[in-house]
Amino acid sequence: ADAVVNIQNVGAGARSAALGNSFVAVADDADAVFANPAGLGQIGSKQLAYTNVSLFFGGIEGDDLGQHVVSYVQPLGSKLGVGLGYERIGSELLSENGAFLALSYKVSKALNLGVTAKYLFWSVGDIPADNGRADPLSNQSAGGVGIDLGVMWKSPFKGAQFGLLLKNLNEPNVAYGSVPGDSDAGKLPMDVHLGVAYQLNPGSMVSVQYVLRDLSGDESDSRLVLGGETKLVEGLMLRAGGSKIFEEDATGDLNAGLGYKWNKLQFDYGYHIPLDLTETNGAHRFSFA
């Protein structure tokens, strides 16, 4: 389970990634499918988005490690919103995948609730035998169904809204039966994402998010994430963000990016680098919506 890097940890679109993934209280585009399903209630028109990520890592020579994300959202009348998403992260040898179905319901003008059902699964290709011994993961695959719950609340303070995500509420097991003698292998912990976003003016926004991972486990950790964006000129946005991880020997990461909107088209770029893994040269994320 410690090796599972599902999409809500590494980010989806370039905009949310450039904000440091401080997006639970923003969630106003197709990334809401992954970040906070309650955010679908803010979206007033159909949206289709695709993201491609280049994960450069010098330690995996000749591999094609990368990530692909696609999502679609659509309002259903004045109260309901629906979103579909799919992501794949991995290489030719192995991959982690997720299929998402998100729904939102507008309780009032200020309050939206959301739920996401997702199927998280992984697969491993052919691993050559080592000294005649077959690798137990060669040509294996498994998965599990997870549930996320989200809340979005527009506060009485103008420009401020709060977001909450309970991720992996049912603690799904994505490797059940794959490890003999350990029925809990692959069990994903429940995480809590709590944030506030504040619209400083029509062209600038800041977002702060607190993440507590493994809420009910013995190895929980927490992090504080900060992000912001501002309009440089008409249609062009500048973004930056980062996080501080509160655990021993952990630092955090830095993020930055640009966004350009032309007519109904949106182009975004995001760069992310972990401060304790600078030799990876970071990840470049490109989105088109």
Side-chain angles (χ1 to χ4, degrees):
D2 291 340
V4 173
V5 188
N6 76 60
I7 193 171
Q8 290 158 318
N9 293 339
V10 300
R15 181 185 174 214
S16 60
L19 294 171
N21 290 321
S22 180
F23 207 64
V24 71
V26 182
D28 58 358
D29 59 25
D31 272 357
V33 174
F34 312 109
N36 186 351
L40 295 174
Q42 307 178 98
I43 301 172
S45 59
K46 300 176 184 177
Q47 289 188 19
L48 177 66
Y50 169 73
T51 297
N52 178 271
V53 191
S54 296
L55 299 169
F56 296 117
F57 183 64
I60 306 178
E61 186 174 349
D63 212 342
D64 63 337
L65 186 64
Q67 184 182 4
H68 302 272
V69 186
V70 63
S71 56
Y72 173 77
V73 300
Q74 179 175 335
L76 299 175
S78 61
K79 293 283 189 180
L80 296 175
V82 63
L84 299 172
Y86 184 83
E87 66 99 8
R88 179 190 186 276
I89 182 171
S91 66
E92 290 182 1
L93 177 62
L94 57 93
S95 68
E96 296 177 18
N97 310 268
F100 296 73
L101 171 61
L103 293 170
S104 71
Y105 177 72
K106 184 171 290 187
V107 179
S108 68
K109 207 170 183 179
L111 181 64
N112 286 279
L113 302 179
V115 60
T116 298
K118 57 189 181 181
Y119 180 60
L120 305 173
F121 60 101
W122 54 268
S123 63
V124 179
D126 184 44
I127 302 176
D130 184 17
N131 294 325
R133 297 181 62 185
D135 191 295
L137 283 180
S138 182
N139 295 312
Q140 295 296 310
S141 64
V145 176
I147 300 294
D148 300 338
L149 294 181
V151 178
M152 188 73 75
W153 178 60
K154 291 184 179 180
S155 77
F157 299 98
K158 186 178 180 180
Q161 67 180 19
F162 294 84
L164 171 68
L165 178 74
L166 301 179
K167 190 184 76 169
N168 298 323
L169 186 66
N170 61 327
E171 298 187 345
N173 193 319
V174 297
Y176 184 77
S178 299
V179 182
D182 188 356
S183 60
D184 286 337
K187 186 177 181 181
L188 301 184
M190 183 175 75
D191 300 344
V192 176
H193 298 235
L194 178 64
V196 57
Y198 183 68
Q199 196 74 37
L200 299 170
N201 56 56
S204 300
M205 178 271 297
V206 293
S207 177
V208 180
Q209 183 168 319
Y210 178 74
V211 181
L212 179 60
R213 295 204 170 136
D214 196 2
L215 180 64
S216 58
D218 299 326
E219 299 182 2
S220 63
D221 70 77
S222 60
R223 66 183 61 199
L224 186 67
V225 190
L226 175 66
E229 64 180 9
T230 188
K231 182 187 294 184
L232 296 178
V233 295
E234 188 62 35
L236 182 63
M237 302 294 291
L238 174 67
R239 304 182 181 110
S243 71
K244 169 62 179 174
I245 304 173
F246 298 103
E247 62 174 319
E248 189 177 355
D249 299 327
T251 50
D253 53 19
L254 291 176
N255 306 267
L258 293 168
Y260 180 70
K261 187 174 183 179
W262 177 71
N263 201 358
K264 293 185 177 181
L265 302 180
Q266 176 80 32
F267 304 89
D268 293 299
Y269 166 74
Y271 177 72
H272 161 255
I273 186 164
L275 295 179
D276 54 347
L277 287 172
T278 55
E279 64 272 19
T280 64
N281 297 321
H284 301 268
R285 195 172 299 256
F286 301 89
S287 295
F288 169 74

